[in-house]
């Protein structure tokens, strides 16, 4: 960090602090900061810093000396640790943790038609809630503080979110095969649950994909999004085969289908986009909404797909957030792993060791992910006025020493298991790796008894057929 | 596991056990077993098993009931844990942990010529030993029980190996630019240190690469290997550019250079091989030595290289072991990460979700890695008579639950931080994540004071120029 920037942060404390005790004071950590918390500019690291939290908000980032006498309800000695914005899982299906490892080594058609969609027929609200609870536990342990979920039985997921203490953007998925009822349910949920859980829950409309939601329903979704000021969260151009199938069947790409429906002129979160074409970048660049993509590279590697073209998307100013997708394809909800894999696979896909750098990977993990889930002004950076969603990362392990460059250490040496403490809205959800809101053995025990019924495929039915045209 | 196989393991205990106490008894774990510990056949998982260790060797794999009354010096209750062979790092340069993260986002030429080889000019024996000690600590924490090291000041690395309790194959690297002295030093070390540290140290001859060791020196190395029964550990065909440069300069590939030198007719461990040609597979298939490759996919992703062609190597019966290379390119010595990345990148490189499977990845991590480092009859499988090199992995974490398939859980959900206990020759080197042989804070403290002198590049010299022809 430059001296000027350090001075700027220290200056935040020269105004007299409030006399009430702070809710939380963290001291001695190195803090990851952004030159501009809205995402322009670079990332810096302030050594031997302190963070003051009051009423769920970061009040200041300063020095340990400046807060030595400050009364506080809770203090965390974070020497040897690094404070950074909590990770954001920009696209997942939390209950699918129940299917982790059940459908391996198969192509996407078989994965959907022979495994996932036959099993999902069996899901009950309780299965969904248990899956979401286990997923929240995994994410808190991995330093995730916000997730964007696109699934069914979303009230159960909202209940799990509330219980866990996490922040989430939730969207009830729908297919046109459900008729108007699917879209209406998605809207009802989005309006009912927005700003629930003390504002930690935001919502979106969640059409499944252009190959399962028809043009009329996509257009109606865009209208509803505009009318109600809602984000739309959708899968599109998931891989090159889908794009080719769309062009063959309709004469245009999935992204062009979104444009025709008006979805590029509302706030839009697109999962995957590994099958984008050169024309798609032109179309995306003309969209007037806040458009973002979510990338989940582990699954793309497993399925043998291309990677999300992050360099081309960066060139047209489209943010790309990090994601895990569901654990049935990704096996974990480890966004740290997604960050590392993003750094690795982007260099590999571009055949360029210079794209993308560790600092760029951190930018995607923080401000770009926050923008992708529609929370760019609330989270994604540690700065005064932002929600206090942050994690403390142990940097004393032998695999992270010595430190020549904090960005490289975080992206290419550290891992999710190094997250010691996870904080959302100033509330500590995990401290020194001990979960404080969820009871994993109890969740796993109940899930285990339900698994035989849940994973039965003998009924011969499925939620939907996979046919990407 | 089949009932027949379970019966076979249980049968090992029907002979009367010795009356002396066992050295170590582990109970309640799921054990990863091989149908054939020499590497043919499949991998199985025996639930609720027990492992008896005596004098550094696995005496039996049986049931907890069978050992309930067995006297033992030490007992480990491993319920909820999985026992598997310790991981093997088939190619690394341990002291380079000191350079972790110092040379990021650059191509290989710049990495060698502007960073690594200028810095390595500064290395002292003490720097090497400290680096090796830190590396050993990292590897023990990550479940590695054996490593193959190719570096300089190898007596210092041998001392670190001895202190750590790990098993290693050590080779003193040399270039033809050193004249005959380099080769002679490599041989002297290999003969002096073989079977040191109670047999935990084996040795190899370590010519650097065909582009830094000339044809005469390669041929002399092959002669020495044959005469003394030594493994040869070398870098070759590291990437496609190297192969192309070799063909342009000499009219043949690096692998053909090894053949002409006679190195394919001795026991040979080749690092990387991402630049193999179709002709190379024919040449390799005709070699009469035990030839193996070591793959370190993380660095290949970072440099934008191809992957080691493991499917083609499998088709000619050449084992491929897992590796991390040095931490200056790989950022960690995390072989578990290499295993996961091998599974992911092989599917991606082949554009085939069916190659390679999680079970195949485990096979590479166990028996194939053991064969690669010349220890195929001693380690790499948990079976009576094998050295007791094993790890206990926690499978109760939310990211590894529920378990539908142990192989998928291990390769795609678990991670090195889940290793609770690391055992070599029956000696516990880490228990419940606490290191028992090495003091990381002390090592890091001394290394940190030495870093400014070590990383100075102001002298303008380098070990060698990178010129892959």
């Amino acid at each position: 960090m430059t001296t000027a920037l350090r001075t700027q942060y220290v200056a935040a404390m020269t105004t007299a602090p409030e006399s009430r005790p702070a809710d939380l004071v963290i001291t001695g950590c190195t803090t990851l900061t952004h030159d501009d918390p809205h995402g322009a500019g670079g990332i810096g690291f302030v050594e031997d810093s302190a963070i003051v939290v009051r009423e769920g908000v970061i009040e200041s980032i300063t020095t340990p000396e400046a807060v030595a006498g400050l009364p506080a309800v809770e203090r965390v000695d974070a020497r040897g640790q690094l404070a950074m914005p909590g990770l954001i899982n920009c696209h997942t299906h939390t209950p699918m943790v129940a299917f982790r490892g059940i459908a391996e080594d198969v192509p996407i058609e078989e994965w959907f038609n022979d495994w996932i969609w036959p099993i999902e027929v069996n899901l009950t609200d309780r299965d969904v809630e248990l899956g979401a609870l286990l997923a929240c536990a995994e994410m808190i342990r991995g330093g995730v503080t916000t997730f964007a979920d696109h699934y069914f039985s979303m009230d159960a997921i909202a209940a799990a979110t509330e219980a866990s203490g996490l922040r989430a953007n939730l969207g009830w998925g729908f297919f046109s095969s459900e008729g108007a009822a699917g879209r209406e349910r998605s809207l009802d949920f989005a309006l009912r649950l927005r700003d629930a859980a003390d504002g930690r829950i935001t919502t979106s409309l969640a059409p499944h994909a252009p190959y399962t939601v028809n043009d009329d329903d996509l257009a109606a979704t865009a209208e509803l999004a505009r009318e109600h000021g809602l984000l739309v969260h959708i899968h599109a151009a998931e891989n090159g085969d889908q794009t080719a199938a769309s062009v063959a069947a309709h004469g245009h790409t999935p992204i062009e289908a979104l444009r025709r429906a008006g979805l590029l002129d509302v706030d839009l979160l697109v999962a995957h986009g590994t099958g984008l074409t050169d024309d798609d970048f032109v179309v995306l660049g003309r969209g007037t909404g806040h458009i973002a993509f979510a990338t989940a590279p582990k699954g793309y590697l497993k399925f043998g797909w291309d990677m999300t073209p992050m360099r081309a998307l960066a060139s047209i100013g489209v943010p790309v957030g990090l994601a895990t997708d569901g654990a049935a394809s990704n096996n974990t909800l480890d966004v740290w792993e997604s960050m590392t894999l993003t750094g690795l696979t982007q260099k590999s896909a571009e055949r360029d060791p210079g794209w993308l750098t560790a600092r760029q990977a951190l930018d995607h993990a923080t401000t770009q992910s926050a923008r992708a889930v529609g929370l760019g002004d609330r989270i994604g950076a540690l700065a005064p006025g932002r929600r206090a969603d942050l994690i403390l990362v142990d940097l004393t392990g032998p695999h992270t020493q010595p430190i020549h460059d904090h960005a490289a250490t975080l992206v290419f040496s550290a891992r999710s298991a190094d997250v010691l403490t996870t904080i959302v809205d100033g509330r500590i959800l995990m401290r020194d790796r001990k979960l404080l809101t969820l009871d994993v053995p109890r969740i796993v025990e109940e899930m285990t008894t339900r698994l035989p019924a849940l994973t039965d495929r003998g009924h011969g039915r499925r939620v939907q057929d996979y046919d990407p045209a």
Side-chain angles (χ1 to χ4, degrees), chain A:
Chain A
M1 150 169 263
T2 61
T3 306
L5 187 60
R6 186 174 170 87
T7 306
Q8 171 195 325
Y9 278 96
V10 172
M13 278 307 290
T14 60
T15 53
E18 295 194 35
S19 54
R20 290 171 300 137
D23 293 317
L24 174 64
V25 172
I26 302 165
T27 55
C29 53
T30 295
T31 299
L32 185 158
T33 61
H34 291 79
D35 291 346
D36 170 0
H38 295 91
I43 282 172
F45 296 93
V46 192
E47 298 194 22
D48 195 23
S49 55
I51 300 171
V52 179
V53 175
R54 206 183 288 271
E55 291 177 1
V57 171
I58 295 173
E59 181 175 275
S60 64
I61 297 173
T62 179
T63 64
E65 298 75 35
V67 299
L70 187 68
V73 175
E74 190 142 27
R75 296 185 83 92
V76 173
D77 177 353
R79 283 174 293 179
Q81 299 172 31
L82 181 139
M84 62 182 281
L87 297 173
I88 299 166
N89 193 346
C90 294
H91 175 74
T92 187
H93 316 286
T94 54
M96 297 181 85
V97 293
F99 314 140
R100 188 197 306 279
I102 207 170
E104 295 297 312
D105 310 320
V106 295
I108 187 72
E109 297 78 9
E110 199 176 324
W111 186 86
F112 264 132
N113 285 334
D114 295 352
W115 291 95
I116 301 308
W117 279 341
I119 289 172
E120 284 185 338
V121 166
N122 304 323
L123 278 166
T124 66
D125 281 0
R126 185 61 186 158
D127 292 320
V128 167
E129 186 165 358
L130 284 169
L133 287 167
L134 184 63
C136 288
E138 178 183 358
M139 289 193 284
I140 294 169
R141 295 258 303 170
V144 174
T145 53
T146 296
F147 64 101
D149 205 331
H150 186 299
Y151 210 61
F152 318 104
S153 302
M154 293 304 296
D155 285 292
I157 297 180
T161 305
E162 168 106 52
S164 73
L166 285 173
R167 189 183 306 285
N169 180 279
L170 305 180
W172 197 309
F174 65 93
F175 306 103
S176 285
S177 59
E178 300 171 272
R183 195 180 64 233
E184 288 161 7
R185 189 187 301 113
S186 193
L187 177 65
D188 168 68
F189 175 81
L191 297 178
R192 244 186 330 108
L193 270 289
R194 74 194 308 179
D195 299 320
D198 301 323
R200 286 186 284 110
I201 291 179
T202 53
T203 56
S204 56
L205 298 172
H208 176 260
Y211 60 88
T212 50
V213 179
N214 64 34
D215 294 344
D216 289 346
D217 282 333
L218 292 176
T221 303
E223 276 304 312
L224 292 170
R226 192 175 294 109
E227 180 184 346
H228 297 285
L230 286 165
L231 180 71
V232 177
H233 184 176
I234 192 167
H235 305 82
E238 295 175 286
N239 61 38
D241 287 347
Q242 278 186 9
T243 299
S246 173
V247 170
H250 310 296
H252 60 249
T253 68
I255 296 299
E256 173 62 16
L258 300 184
R259 186 197 69 76
R260 293 179 184 202
L263 283 167
L264 302 188
D265 300 316
V266 300
D267 294 350
L268 183 69
L269 171 57
V270 183
H272 311 317
T274 81
L276 298 181
T277 67
D278 288 347
D279 287 347
D280 286 338
F281 297 118
V282 177
V283 170
L284 288 165
R286 291 183 186 145
T288 61
H290 293 107
I291 303 169
F293 282 76
T295 191
K298 191 174 180 183
Y300 313 155
L301 291 167
K302 286 181 72 188
F303 284 128
W305 296 354
D306 289 326
M307 295 297 125
T308 307
M310 294 173 71
R311 193 176 210 163
L313 289 168
S315 74
I316 57 170
V318 171
V320 179
L322 305 185
T324 65
D325 209 347
S329 55
N330 201 83
N331 300 66
T332 63
L333 303 184
D334 187 338
V335 177
W336 201 295
E337 182 182 48
S338 298
M339 176 170 72
T340 302
L341 286 174
T342 294
L344 297 176
T345 58
Q346 287 293 312
K347 290 174 191 291
S348 175
E350 298 283 342
R351 294 261 167 176
D352 179 358
W355 176 272
L356 78 199
T357 66
R359 272 183 162 67
Q360 287 174 309
L362 287 168
D363 190 59
H364 285 281
T366 55
T367 56
Q368 293 196 47
S369 289
R371 291 163 66 195
V373 298
L375 296 169
D377 56 350
R378 288 199 229 174
I379 59 172
L382 301 187
R386 295 278 167 139
R387 303 305 306 178
D389 289 13
L390 61 94
I391 57 178
L392 299 174
V393 185
D394 180 14
L395 294 185
T396 65
H399 61 294
T400 51
Q401 286 290 330
I403 299 172
H404 293 289
D405 170 39
H406 278 98
T409 300
L410 289 174
V411 175
F412 294 124
S413 295
R415 52 197 179 219
S416 60
D418 296 321
V419 177
L420 294 176
T421 298
T422 300
I423 299 169
V424 174
D425 262 1
R427 180 184 178 201
I428 302 178
L429 307 184
M430 175 176 76
R431 185 159 186 170
D432 294 330
R433 296 214 50 75
K434 184 173 162 45
L435 290 173
L436 302 180
T437 57
L438 297 170
D439 180 346
V440 172
R442 196 194 56 74
I443 297 164
V444 169
E445 185 182 3
E446 185 178 347
M447 180 184 283
T448 302
T449 64
R450 302 175 69 95
L451 279 181
L454 177 56
T455 58
D456 174 49
R457 296 180 292 151
H459 48 70
R461 291 174 293 124
R462 56 175 73 131
V463 171
Q464 184 78 26
D465 287 331
Y466 183 78
D467 174 5

